Amino acid sequence: MAKIKKGDLVQVITGATQERGGDRGKQGKVLEILAEKNRVIVEGVNYVTKHTRVGQTQRGTKTGGLETVEASIHISNVALVDPSTKKPTKVGHRVEEQTKDGVKRTVRVRYAKKSGKDL
């Protein structure tokens, strides 16, 4: 089971500090997970300038030029944020039994190891 999922709040734990123009310490939501490359795209983190070819739409407006977009960051460089303390934490899984419509099923639940709260 994945420790980080789309929509989770994560914090960058490695790299240059914000005073030096880096992203360490920044928090943001996970926009996309690139599982085959072990990378994630985090909102507001690791901005890069992308050059796109200038073109025209049907109405005649120009498109393209310079765009700033979020680039991917390795999944080992981010940590999930604990919802109660708003600090990075490790993730654990526990097995629980849930009853839904009279049917029992076992479900794996993610939880923050420091506080014990479900994520």
Side-chain angles (χ1 to χ4, degrees):
M1 182 178 257
K3 293 185 182 209
I4 296 176
K5 296 181 178 180
K6 182 178 174 180
D8 284 343
L9 184 66
V10 295
Q11 181 172 338
V12 179
I13 55 174
T14 59
T17 58
Q18 292 179 13
E19 293 89 33
R20 293 188 169 188
D23 291 326
R24 184 170 66 198
K26 284 187 182 178
Q27 291 185 357
K29 266 188 161 179
V30 175
L31 299 175
E32 189 178 349
I33 301 242
L34 307 171
E36 63 278 353
K37 295 181 181 178
N38 288 331
R39 297 179 84 79
V40 292
I41 297 177
V42 182
E43 184 178 38
V45 175
N46 198 20
Y47 275 114
V48 293
T49 304
K50 189 174 181 183
H51 297 262
T52 56
R53 180 174 289 198
V54 177
Q56 280 189 340
T57 61
Q58 298 250 332
R59 297 183 180 199
T61 58
K62 295 214 173 209
T63 61
L66 295 175
E67 296 177 352
T68 53
V69 294
E70 290 106 350
S72 64
I73 185 169
H74 199 270
I75 203 163
S76 66
N77 296 335
V78 296
L80 208 64
V81 174
D82 192 340
S84 59
T85 62
K86 302 292 185 221
K87 292 187 176 180
T89 184
K90 292 187 177 184
V91 180
H93 292 84
R94 67 171 167 257
V95 178
E96 292 181 354
E97 282 200 8
Q98 292 182 348
T99 306
K100 186 176 178 183
D101 298 331
V103 178
K104 280 188 179 179
R105 62 178 0 173
T106 57
V107 180
R108 290 180 64 175
V109 179
R110 291 187 313 158
Y111 70 96
K113 286 196 173 181
K114 287 185 182 174
S115 69
K117 300 241 175 160
D118 288 349
L119 297 172

